[in-house]
């Protein structure tokens, strides 16, 4: 009987430690964010190195109350101008998030398959991605609209752990309250493509190579 008892104790310890480990290892976040104009961007990064990322994000009505604790809102790379209303989302790594959060940066790298970066979208939920190498991964969001825009997001950086339920609302805006279309010029230049081991990031297309709206930054 003593050996059975010891086995039982070991088993109980194993369950406790596994549960503890599982809870501790989860890296998920969710919240509602407000970006009041095109000069501000928002990003959230994994708390430790990871090789996994999956998220869902959606524009929410102006009545939604911002409650995000995990991410950072700051002056950031200014998006170009588009005729559609929506948000631009970029899966990236720590390097890309820092480039994004620099209002003077002419461009930033992002992972095309983890982004809705070609046109503003009302929502975005790319397929989860698992990379061969671990690094700090991030989600960055731009508001390309001429008005305050709010969004709800939910993200998991832990393989096998689904992101928390996304806060959704009955109706969401599909345009700015006022319909003035600012006339701005953009310049699109062919971009370079960066490929690392396991993590493949591209810098191209419509976002990171569009001149700042201010026009102050030569590429
Ligand atoms: C815009 O948002 C930033 C960051 O959230 C805030 O510091 C700033 O006061 C806001 N500006 C206006 C005009 O609301
Ligand atoms: C990324 O997207 C491209 C084209 O859509 C696809 O060929 C490639 O396999 C994707 N990469 C990953 C890691 O899913
Ligand atoms: C981010 O990705 C780029 C391109 O693959 C790479 O050069 C850079 O070292 C990466 N940064 C981090 C912190 O992993
Ligand atoms: C990632 O790992 C898989 C399986 O080991 C391998 O087939 C693939 O070539 C690797 N990809 C990169 C970019 O290293």
């Amino acid at each position: 009987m003593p050996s059975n008892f010891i086995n039982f104790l070991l088993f109980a310890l194993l369950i406790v430690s596994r549960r503890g480990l599982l809870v501790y290892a989860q890296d998920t976040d969710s919240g509602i964010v407000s970006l009041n104009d095109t000069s501000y961007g928002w990003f959230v990064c994994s708390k430790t190195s990871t090789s996994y990322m999956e998220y869902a994000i959606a524009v929410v009505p102006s009545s939604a109350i911002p409650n995000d604790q995990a991410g950072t809102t700051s002056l950031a790379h200014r998006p170009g101008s588009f005729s559609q209303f929506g948000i631009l989302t970029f899966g990236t790594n720590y390097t890309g998030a820092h480039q994004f959060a620099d209002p003077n940066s002419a461009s930033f790298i992002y992972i095309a398959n983890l982004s809705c970066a070609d046109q503003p979208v009302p929502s975005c939920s790319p397929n989860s991605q698992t990379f061969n190498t671990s690094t700090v991964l991030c989600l960055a969001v731009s508001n390309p609209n001429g008005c305050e825009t709010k969004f709800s997001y939910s993200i998991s950086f832990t393989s096998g752990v689904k992101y928390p339920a996304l806060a959704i609302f009955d109706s969401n805006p599909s345009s700015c309250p006022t319909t003035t279309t600012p006339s701005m010029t953009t310049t699109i230049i062919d971009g370079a493509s960066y490929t690392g081991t396991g993590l493949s990031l591209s810098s191209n297309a419509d976002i990171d190579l569009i001149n700042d709206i201010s026009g102050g930054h030569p590429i």
Side-chain angles (χ1 to χ4, degrees):
M1 286 303 144
S3 82
N4 272 354
F5 185 63
I6 285 167
N7 278 347
F8 169 78
L9 273 184
L10 285 176
F11 180 67
L13 277 174
L14 191 68
I15 288 181
V16 167
S17 71
R18 282 199 163 178
R19 289 185 139 211
L21 200 65
L22 212 64
V23 169
Y24 181 74
Q26 283 187 12
D27 189 355
T28 64
D29 290 305
S30 62
I32 294 171
V33 177
S34 172
L35 290 176
N36 49 19
D37 61 49
T38 54
S39 58
Y40 288 92
W42 173 90
F43 65 93
V44 67
C45 293
S46 61
K47 290 168 187 66
T48 58
S49 286
T50 181
S51 57
Y52 181 87
M53 180 164 153
E54 183 180 20
Y55 69 90
I57 189 165
V59 173
V60 297
S62 57
S63 58
I65 297 166
N67 62 4
D68 178 50
Q69 303 283 317
T72 302
T73 301
S74 71
L75 289 172
H77 179 91
R78 281 188 170 225
S81 70
F82 298 87
S83 51
Q84 300 96 314
F85 176 88
I87 49 175
L88 300 164
T89 78
F90 309 93
T92 186
N93 65 7
Y94 191 71
T95 307
H98 264 249
Q99 292 169 336
F100 172 82
D102 175 2
N104 295 321
S105 73
S107 68
F108 58 95
I109 52 172
Y110 63 92
I111 305 159
N113 289 9
L114 275 172
S115 304
C116 288
D118 293 337
Q119 300 289 341
V121 291
S123 65
C124 179
S125 51
N127 290 331
S128 66
Q129 299 265 321
T130 304
F131 301 99
N132 284 6
T133 55
S134 284
T135 188
V136 172
L137 293 174
C138 306
L139 169 64
V141 179
S142 279
N143 167 13
N145 313 301
C147 60
E148 180 188 41
T149 303
K150 293 180 179 177
F151 61 86
S152 166
Y153 80 96
S154 181
I155 191 163
S156 174
F157 294 108
T158 306
S159 182
V161 177
K162 190 70 184 170
Y163 51 74
L166 184 71
I168 52 166
F169 295 79
D170 286 343
S171 69
N172 299 310
S174 56
S175 63
C176 281
T178 54
T179 52
T180 44
T181 315
S183 64
M184 294 162 182
T185 56
T186 58
T187 309
I188 301 174
I189 295 169
D190 284 336
S193 188
Y194 302 74
T195 308
T197 309
L199 185 64
S200 187
L201 300 174
S202 34
S203 167
N204 57 23
D206 300 327
I207 303 311
D208 49 351
L209 295 154
I210 291 177
N211 274 328
D212 286 1
I213 288 169
S214 65
H217 299 287
I219 293 171

